[in-house]
Amino acid sequence: MPAPHSRSFRDGKTLEGELAAAMHRVEAHGVIYPAHYYETLVAKYRKGGVPYPHILTILGEPRILGHFYYKTALQRTGPFLDYGCGTGDNIRQLLRDGFPRDHITGFDLSWESIDLGFDLYRDRDALRDLFVVQDTFPFGEGQFDTIYSGSVIHVIADDAELDGYLANAWRALRHGGVLFGSTLGIEDCDACSPDEHGPPRVSPRSAIVRHMMAAGFAEPAIMVKSHEAHHPGDKKCVFEFCTKKDEKL
Ligand SMILES: C[S@@+](CC[C@H](N)C(=O)[O-])C[C@H]1O[C@@H](n2cnc3c(N)ncnc32)[C@H](O)[C@@H]1O
């Protein structure tokens, strides 16, 4: 299981403000909310909070869209797994971009973020069948052509768990299959202590490469992007990565 993580918002952000902003972004995708829906959601999520506050702050503008490999991934059209899918924001983007619905699966350890996505997009009945939730990885060998891992690596604190996660991805890909995604990291230092609000793992590039190659993947292509919650003096960044099973990129 991933390490416990903070449910509090940083930088003066609040649940109320971020829910309103997320609803606004989701409305831009054509979702219509009934009267008092916002108040209902605030009351619901005030009780337990949202599992990954940062994900709510970008919900509606999924990170997959800006990924350097995304346009190529859309051409692949074979079975696609979103591994650690959270709210399902990336899956909805694939659907908007015409990726074949029957080739999309979202997997997560918990329904919590997926339910937040259903609440925001009001599409539980329409999309429920795309999601699989289990506390162990349920997929067989060579089942997928492409696997996406968005903001998952940095929530897995334990090295052995991360190696298990990557080994599952490797096994579930067909030969020549692609793993792409992103993780928070740090560009120019060997180690970095997680801060109070940040994720438990802040990897240097070398550690990401090492873990992926230990799982059997080719050396990943990595691009650096700035983090949305970037602070002056903060060396954290987003690493976008892409690697293949058995074949060179
Ligand atoms: C920060 S959220 C990112 C969600 C989504 N991928 C996105 O880009 O918005 C991390 C997600 O990874 C899931 N997760 C963590 N460890 C996992 C594992 N070993 N297997 C599957 N999902 C995992 C968490 O439950 C959570 O939903």
Side-chain angles (χ1 to χ4, degrees), residues 1-3 5 51-56 58-59 62-64 82-90 107-114 132 134-137 148-157 161-162 164-166 168 182 199:
M1 288 297 287
H5 48 273
Y52 293 93
H54 182 69
I55 293 302
L56 181 62
I58 60 172
L59 196 139
R63 198 175 263 155
I64 197 171
D82 186 349
Y83 187 6
C85 60
T87 57
D89 217 17
N90 301 301
F107 171 70
D108 208 295
L109 302 174
S110 143
W111 281 106
E112 220 184 348
S113 291
I114 300 173
V132 175
Q134 240 177 252
D135 53 14
T136 52
F137 189 74
Y148 179 69
S149 166
S151 305
V152 182
I153 289 176
H154 63 233
V155 307
I156 304 178
E161 276 182 39
L162 176 60
Y165 174 85
L166 292 171
N168 287 339
S182 61

Side-chain angles (χ1 to χ4, degrees), residues 204-214 218-220 222:
R205 176 194 289 257
S206 57
I208 297 167
V209 171
R210 192 177 67 246
H211 282 285
M212 287 188 181
M213 293 184 75
E219 182 170 351
I222 294 186

Side-chain angles (χ1 to χ4, degrees), residues 103-151:
H103 280 177
I104 300 176
T105 304
F107 171 70
D108 208 295
L109 302 174
S110 143
W111 281 106
E112 220 184 348
S113 291
I114 300 173
D115 282 336
L116 174 66
F118 286 151
D119 281 346
L120 267 296
Y121 283 93
R122 306 189 68 229
D123 57 2
R124 185 183 308 267
D125 292 343
L127 297 194
R128 165 69 187 80
D129 61 307
L130 297 185
F131 295 93
V132 175
V133 172
Q134 240 177 252
D135 53 14
T136 52
F137 189 74
F139 304 106
E141 206 173 322
Q143 228 177 298
F144 296 99
D145 188 39
T146 312
I147 296 183
Y148 179 69
S149 166
S151 305

